[in-house]
Amino acid sequence: MRTNPKLKTYYPYFDYVRFIAASIVMFYHDGLIKWEPSGSIAVDVFFALSGWLIGGILLRSSKDDLPRFYFNRAIRIWIPYFAALSLIVLISLIKDPINLKWFEFIIYKLTFVYNIFGPPQLLQYKDMMPLDGTGNHFWSVNAEEQFYLFAPILLVILGKYGRHPITWVVLSAIAWYQHVYAPIFLGVLAAVCVFRYGEFYEKPFIKIILLAVIFASSIGMIYGNYQYFSPAFSISLILLLAIRGQKNKFGEFLGGISYPLYLNHWLGVFAANSISGFIGFRGTNYSILLAVIIGYVLSAIMYLLIDKQCLKHRSKFYTHTRGIWITFSAYLMIVLGLSFGMFINS
């Protein structure tokens, strides 16, 4: 198998991209940013980054590597995700009326298919969702999980056909036209092109083009429909910042807290509302600022207690058999979730 060692290189600017994108999502949900597309654009940047990095990993992988790949993804994604979901369920059990519709949304999130069946019901059934729709942003984590199961089939199992740039050009075009996770496909397309043709994005002329695309797409997102321009903006930003370098502890920390920040920033709002309601400044800018501060603090604590420990120790727990079981469980959850969702909504 042809490999490209440079795809293994660390990109320190991506740590800051993750942190800024997660912060923008939090600022939007907390009411600090009023521009509605801001959170969606930040998620698109996450998607482009994921497609680029995971695509690169899979392009270096063989079929024998897949159990380890799925095991690593599960430890990285599942444990913080299920911890965050457990908090929502526990608080919801105390605050919310529990009915069949409530269980339906929990099952979607447990099986990583909420992005398919949950958001379309948000307007009609928001009051029946756990904590009035808190955790709706989990749809993007579910989309990422589905990508982790879909991409290896093309990039590893199907071999050269799944790794051909034309395959990902077609998939990207369809996703872009349908407004369905196009930045992920563009991220993989970029990784495939690097794997096949080399680091084209490092050429000065390409960097100028990327800057021009970022500028033009930014204008388009401000004055037009952001969905048409956000994919181009996201992948251009990722390629422009794909600059090799060494790990920086501060940057690594900021990048590390981005996932727990994305998952759990709603806790800052809950805590701030309780505190500010007791003191008497609920609904003010002080309450929003307090929510942001608490969101950062809690995400840092969760990163140190959960995410960092998972990444630090996951190699100790890996065995090929566990990798096989994780792989089987990952696909089974999606199948069960899809079957349940289609049955309920038939």
Side-chain angles (χ1 to χ4, degrees):
M1 179 184 71
R2 179 185 172 188
T3 59
N4 191 330
K6 289 187 178 181
L7 282 176
K8 300 180 181 180
T9 306
Y10 194 78
Y11 303 99
Y13 289 113
F14 288 169
D15 288 328
Y16 301 100
V17 169
R18 291 187 182 96
F19 176 74
I20 293 171
S23 296
I24 289 173
V25 172
M26 178 176 66
F27 295 160
Y28 174 68
H29 287 162
D30 289 1
L32 198 61
I33 294 179
K34 304 296 184 181
W35 189 45
E36 189 171 347
S38 60
S40 297
I41 295 168
V43 171
D44 278 352
V45 171
F46 272 125
F47 281 164
L49 179 58
S50 181
W52 164 260
L53 293 176
I54 299 302
I57 291 173
L58 291 172
L59 286 165
R60 301 190 305 268
S61 301
S62 66
K63 294 178 183 179
D64 293 336
D65 298 323
L66 288 183
R68 184 61 180 260
F69 169 80
Y70 288 119
F71 181 86
N72 287 346
R73 289 296 91 202
I75 297 298
R76 176 71 182 92
I77 301 300
W78 290 6
I79 295 177
Y81 174 79
F82 286 128
L85 181 57
S86 298
L87 287 173
I88 289 179
V89 170
L90 288 173
I91 297 174
S92 181
L93 287 172
I94 298 172
K95 295 175 64 68
D96 295 336
I98 308 304
N99 50 48
L100 291 177
K101 203 67 180 176
W102 183 92
F103 279 106
E104 178 186 340
F105 293 119
I106 294 299
I107 291 173
Y108 292 151
K109 291 176 181 177
L110 281 173
T111 56
F112 292 99
V113 296
Y114 177 78
N115 60 312
I116 299 172
F117 301 105
Q121 301 187 66
L122 188 60
L123 289 178
Q124 184 176 2
Y125 295 110
K126 183 175 181 292
D127 58 338
M128 295 185 185
M129 291 181 170
L131 302 179
D132 287 330
T134 297
N136 183 62
H137 61 292
F138 286 6
W139 70 266
S140 61
V141 181
N142 290 192
E144 290 263 9
E145 177 69 11
Q146 292 158 23
F147 163 67
Y148 297 148
L149 300 179
F150 170 75
I153 295 174
L154 288 182
L155 293 175
V156 180
I157 295 176
L158 293 184
K160 64 178 182 178
Y161 299 106
R163 296 182 176 197
H164 199 286
I166 295 299
T167 301
W168 291 93
V169 167
V170 172
L171 290 173
S172 299
I174 294 172
W176 204 332
Y177 178 76
Q178 296 290 336
H179 303 308
V180 182
Y181 319 135
I184 297 183
F185 292 97
L186 290 171
V188 178
L189 173 60
V192 168
C193 289
V194 170
F195 183 78
R196 194 177 183 91
Y197 306 115
E199 283 75 16
F200 64 92
Y201 61 92
E202 293 185 344
K203 298 178 180 180
F205 177 68
I206 299 298
K207 289 185 178 294
I208 293 174
I209 294 176
L210 292 173
L211 282 170
V213 171
I214 290 173
F215 176 78
S217 56
S218 296
I219 299 299
M221 289 188 297
I222 293 172
Y223 295 104
N225 187 334
Y226 80 92
Q227 291 181 309
Y228 291 109
F229 299 97
S230 182
F233 170 86
S234 300
I235 188 57
S236 296
L237 179 66
I238 294 307
L239 288 176
L240 189 67
L241 296 178
I243 300 172
R244 296 185 291 273
Q246 299 297 317
K247 287 186 179 181
N248 175 279
K249 288 187 177 181
F250 179 67
E252 188 178 7
F253 174 77
L254 292 182
I257 70 172
S258 63
Y259 184 44
L261 178 64
Y262 183 81
L263 288 173
N264 300 293
H265 60 270
W266 60 273
L267 284 169
V269 177
F270 272 63
N273 284 341
S274 298
I275 296 171
S276 59
F278 179 77
I279 298 175
F281 59 85
R282 182 170 181 171
T284 67
N285 289 333
Y286 295 108
S287 181
I288 295 175
L289 179 61
L290 181 61
V292 169
I293 294 172
I294 294 174
Y296 280 132
V297 171
L298 289 178
S299 66
I301 293 172
M302 290 178 177
Y303 164 68
L304 294 173
L305 294 180
I306 300 176
D307 298 62
K308 188 173 183 179
Q309 301 308 313
C310 290
L311 294 175
K312 181 179 179 180
H313 298 291
R314 69 182 177 186
S315 294
K316 299 177 183 178
F317 296 102
Y318 174 75
T319 65
H320 185 73
T321 301
R322 288 173 183 166
I324 293 292
W325 276 108
I326 287 289
T327 303
F328 175 77
S329 300
Y331 283 99
L332 179 62
M333 279 193 294
I334 297 291
V335 170
L336 291 176
L338 290 173
S339 300
F340 173 79
M342 288 187 290
F343 174 78
I344 291 294
N345 292 281
S346 61

